[in-house]
Amino acid sequence: MGRKDKSRYEWLQEYLDLEERCRYLRWQIRKVKREEERWESGDLARIRINGKSRGAHVLDQLPPLQAELKDCESDRQELLDLVDSFHGYEHEFLKMHYIEGMTLEDIANDEEFPYGIDWIRHKSAELRRTLDFLDQWEGRKRIFVTRYDTEIGDCIPLF
């Protein structure tokens, strides 16, 4: 992915970041569960624990991790749904170029994407215009929501 594209389609980069965060949270959850197993029936089972010991609070870490993972997966799915809202070549191109990080030349040489480099460049420019529109729309939407929330907030009396 080029430098210019990285700064542009933040939602695509956010998808990659969320994917990484979800993997990390799943790993942390597995780690906590393994630790719990060690304290219950593993090598630490014979160690006496009290309320202040680490073993007594192993499972306290699980609910916040699971809640964060659920939110992370939900956000990731929303972004994936956005990518999936494109069809045909646009869908495949978005995944290959922006999510998998393939160059236009890599895509042209991919056996499963049966288009030449000139066609791919043309369609890439076309798709970039669509993505630019989506980015602008998101920016305008945020401004509107912020303005709307502020105006409504100013009208509601606080008791």
Side-chain angles (χ1 to χ4, degrees):
M1 193 175 336
R3 274 188 139 243
K4 189 175 184 183
D5 290 336
K6 245 185 191 174
S7 64
R8 286 171 104 182
Y9 314 117
E10 290 180 26
W11 54 276
L12 287 168
Q13 183 59 47
E14 190 173 330
Y15 172 83
L16 297 174
D17 294 344
L18 285 168
E19 182 68 30
E20 186 178 319
R21 180 71 183 153
C22 287
R23 268 196 309 273
Y24 178 71
L25 289 167
R26 282 188 215 101
W27 175 80
Q28 281 189 309
I29 289 169
R30 284 191 306 273
K31 185 175 129 185
V32 167
K33 287 180 178 180
R34 282 192 306 268
E35 183 75 9
E36 173 197 16
E37 189 177 308
R38 287 182 68 205
W39 282 103
E40 287 183 351
S41 59
D43 62 324
L44 301 175
R46 292 197 167 114
I47 297 175
R48 184 181 160 124
I49 59 176
N50 61 38
K52 293 181 181 181
S53 69
R54 182 173 170 215
H57 300 286
V58 168
L59 286 182
D60 294 349
Q61 300 169 20
L62 206 52
L65 288 172
Q66 289 171 326
E68 186 178 352
L69 177 61
K70 183 178 177 184
D71 290 343
C72 183
E73 287 178 336
S74 174
D75 291 345
R76 187 188 62 78
Q77 187 59 48
E78 276 184 46
L79 289 171
L80 192 56
D81 289 346
L82 178 60
V83 170
D84 287 343
S85 71
F86 289 87
H87 300 285
Y89 79 87
E90 293 173 332
H91 178 258
E92 290 304 312
F93 179 82
L94 273 173
K95 284 184 134 178
M96 294 169 92
H97 187 56
Y98 293 105
I99 293 177
E100 295 173 16
M102 294 174 71
T103 66
L104 297 181
E105 290 76 18
D106 291 340
I107 294 170
N109 293 326
D110 190 286
E111 294 174 8
E112 294 181 24
F113 205 73
Y115 301 102
I117 189 67
D118 293 333
W119 186 89
I120 290 173
R121 284 186 181 127
H122 171 74
K123 291 301 180 180
S124 173
E126 200 175 273
L127 189 53
R128 266 197 311 271
R129 286 189 293 274
T130 302
L131 294 172
D132 286 341
F133 173 79
L134 286 173
D135 277 355
Q136 291 169 4
W137 181 79
E138 280 295 321
R140 288 183 188 131
K141 186 174 94 174
R142 264 184 254 129
I143 291 168
F144 176 76
V145 168
T146 302
R147 187 180 316 147
Y148 182 73
D149 287 346
T150 303
E151 290 171 5
I152 295 296
D154 291 343
C155 296
I156 299 172
L158 300 173
F159 295 96

